[in-house]
């Protein structure tokens, strides 16, 4: 147990020096959390909830819960969204509450370009009772309760009925959340996201969608996710993903009703961490109220 805790402590410090945003395997369904230009792009009131348990079996491993809702604003080119993220790792937890607004333009008969702005309130918590400091009762180590920092972000999202591409920076401000006299223990860095995907119609009952997401943060390794999902009979989704130098994943989904979709993903580490955990699990539920009948007949694959 002590050995596991030491590993988690190392992970917490390494992650906190160049803090990255929460990680998702099923990013293709959760775009609103890192690109505000996605708000309203599905042409429906879209309600989304996700739970992720990372590195199951490892004490202090990350746990993430997200909830979002977004919709186009009727009779306008605007979209609006709200989202909430709760992210826990070791002795720290963070709540993020964000509001998104987007504006869309037709750039051709097939393509739509959207611009989005995100405003975020971050509430950071540190429980020092979960630490084992070298110097007991160190006065520089104190609990933090809902330490508030604001942030702004922006994004671009371009899509047709078959393809999409996006670029975003969810947080422009690099803020120090906890520091002693010598170093920052938790600092929010800028995260850059690039994403894209394309839907191939293999036959009337089968579609294939390759997609990618690249996340770059100063002081942290490049994260690159590559995925491929098959959609059968507009109902069943099966696929896999690979995270560069990190993990492979299996994904599945089912369109329960015209507006209700459930998805699940399992990650297996390809690093030395695989020896200390039994993988990561991610499950989500999406519910949509459509404004156009054609959306119900053929739900979009992204």
């Amino acid at each position: 147990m002590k050995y596991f805790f030491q590993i988690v402590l190392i992970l917490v410090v390494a992650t906190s020096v160049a803090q990255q945003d929460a990680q998702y395997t099923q990013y293709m369904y959760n775009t609103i959390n890192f690109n505000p230009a996605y708000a309203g792009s599905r042409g429906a009131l879209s309600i989304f909830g996700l739970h992720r348990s990372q590195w199951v079996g490892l004490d202090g491993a990350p746990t993430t819960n997200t909830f979002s809702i977004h919709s186009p604003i009727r009779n306008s080119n605007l979209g609006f969204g709200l989202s909430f993220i709760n992210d826990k790792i070791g002795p720290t937890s963070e709540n993020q509450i964000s509001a998104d607004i987007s504006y869309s333009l037709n750039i051709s008969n097939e393509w739509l370009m959207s611009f989005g702005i995100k405003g975020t309130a971050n509430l950071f918590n540190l429980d020092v009772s979960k630490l084992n400091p070298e110097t007991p009762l160190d006065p520089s180590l104190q609990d933090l309760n809902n330490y508030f920092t604001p942030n702004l972000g922006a994004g671009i999202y371009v899509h047709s009925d078959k393809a999409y591409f996006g670029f975003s920076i969810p947080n422009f401000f690099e803020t120090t959340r906890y520091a002693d006299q010598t170093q920052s223990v938790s600092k929010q860095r800028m995260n850059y996201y690039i994403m894209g995907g394309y839907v191939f119609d293999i036959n009337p009952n089968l579609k294939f969608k390759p997609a990618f997401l690249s996340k770059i943060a100063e002081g942290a390794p490049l994260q690159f996710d590559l995925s491929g999902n098959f959609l059968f009979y507009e109902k069943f989704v099966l696929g896999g993903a690979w995270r560069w130098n990190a993990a492979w994943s299996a994904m599945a989904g089912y369109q329960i009703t015209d507006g209700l979709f459930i998805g699940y993903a399992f990650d297996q580490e390809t690093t030395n961490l695989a020896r200390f955990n039994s993988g990561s699990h991610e499950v989500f539920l999406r519910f949509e109220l459509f404004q156009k009948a054609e959306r119900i007949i053929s739900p979009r694959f992204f």
Side-chain angles (χ1 to χ4, degrees):
M1 185 70 69
K2 183 178 179 181
Y3 184 51
F4 276 0
F5 188 73
Q6 289 173 342
I7 294 173
V8 172
L9 212 54
I10 292 171
L11 289 171
V12 170
V13 173
T15 304
S16 299
V17 170
Q19 181 73 31
Q20 293 199 61
D21 297 335
Q23 176 177 282
Y24 307 102
T25 297
Q26 298 169 110
Y27 57 86
M28 64 289 296
Y29 303 109
N30 198 28
T31 307
I32 187 67
N33 276 338
F34 55 86
N35 191 335
Y38 190 77
S41 66
R42 290 189 58 80
L45 174 65
S46 185
I47 303 170
F48 183 91
L50 178 146
H51 171 80
R52 178 177 176 85
S53 294
Q54 191 162 326
W55 304 332
V56 173
L58 184 63
D59 289 344
T63 301
T64 304
N65 292 288
T66 74
F67 174 82
S68 65
I69 180 170
H70 67 99
S71 173
I73 299 176
R74 186 168 298 189
N75 299 323
S76 76
N77 293 330
L78 297 173
F80 181 74
L82 293 171
S83 60
F84 172 79
I85 302 174
N86 173 258
D87 199 26
K88 297 179 180 178
I89 177 170
T92 68
S93 66
E94 181 180 8
N95 293 311
Q96 297 182 16
I97 304 169
S98 300
D100 306 287
I101 189 164
S102 67
Y103 182 81
S104 299
L105 294 170
N106 288 307
I107 56 177
S108 74
N109 291 332
E110 297 180 354
W111 291 88
L112 197 70
M113 175 179 286
S114 302
F115 305 89
I117 298 175
K118 177 185 290 288
T120 301
N122 296 285
L123 301 173
F124 182 78
N125 298 273
L126 172 67
D127 184 354
V128 297
S129 67
K130 296 180 180 180
L131 294 172
N132 185 19
E134 182 178 345
T135 304
L137 303 178
D138 187 341
S140 67
L141 287 175
Q142 299 180 6
D143 284 345
L144 286 180
N145 295 308
N146 291 326
Y147 181 77
F148 170 76
T149 55
N151 224 310
L152 289 173
I156 299 173
Y157 184 71
V158 183
H159 73 89
S160 67
D161 288 339
K162 294 291 184 182
Y164 65 93
F165 177 82
F167 173 76
S168 61
I169 305 174
N171 299 299
F172 282 126
F173 304 147
E174 297 187 349
T175 56
T176 300
R177 290 161 180 175
Y178 188 86
D180 59 21
Q181 297 177 349
T182 59
Q183 66 175 355
S184 298
V185 178
S186 180
K187 180 176 286 187
Q188 175 69 36
R189 298 287 193 182
M190 292 176 66
N191 288 252
Y192 305 85
Y193 290 85
I194 302 172
M195 66 179 299
Y198 189 86
V199 179
F200 294 92
D201 290 318
I202 297 177
N203 63 50
N205 298 315
L206 179 62
K207 296 179 180 179
F208 174 61
K209 183 187 69 177
F212 74 91
L213 174 69
S214 179
K215 182 170 71 173
I216 305 168
E218 181 185 352
L222 170 70
Q223 180 178 310
F224 182 79
D225 289 65
L226 183 64
S227 65
N229 280 300
F230 291 92
L231 175 62
F232 302 88
Y233 297 96
E234 303 287 351
K235 285 287 186 181
F236 302 96
V237 176
L238 290 176
W242 170 75
R243 183 171 298 122
W244 184 46
N245 284 340
W248 62 263
S249 310
M251 295 179 285
Y254 178 62
Q255 192 77 42
I256 300 172
T257 67
D258 291 333
L260 188 61
F261 183 74
I262 188 171
Y264 169 79
F266 172 78
D267 297 358
Q268 180 62 55
E269 286 289 313
T270 57
T271 68
N272 289 332
L273 271 175
R275 296 183 294 165
F276 306 108
N277 71 90
S278 56
S280 304
H281 301 272
E282 191 176 279
V283 61
F284 76 84
L285 191 67
R286 183 181 68 197
F287 176 69
E288 295 182 313
L289 295 174
F290 294 91
Q291 295 181 3
K292 297 180 179 180
E294 59 266 25
R295 295 290 189 185
I296 299 176
I297 295 171
S298 181
R300 208 177 74 209
F301 200 14
F302 55 87

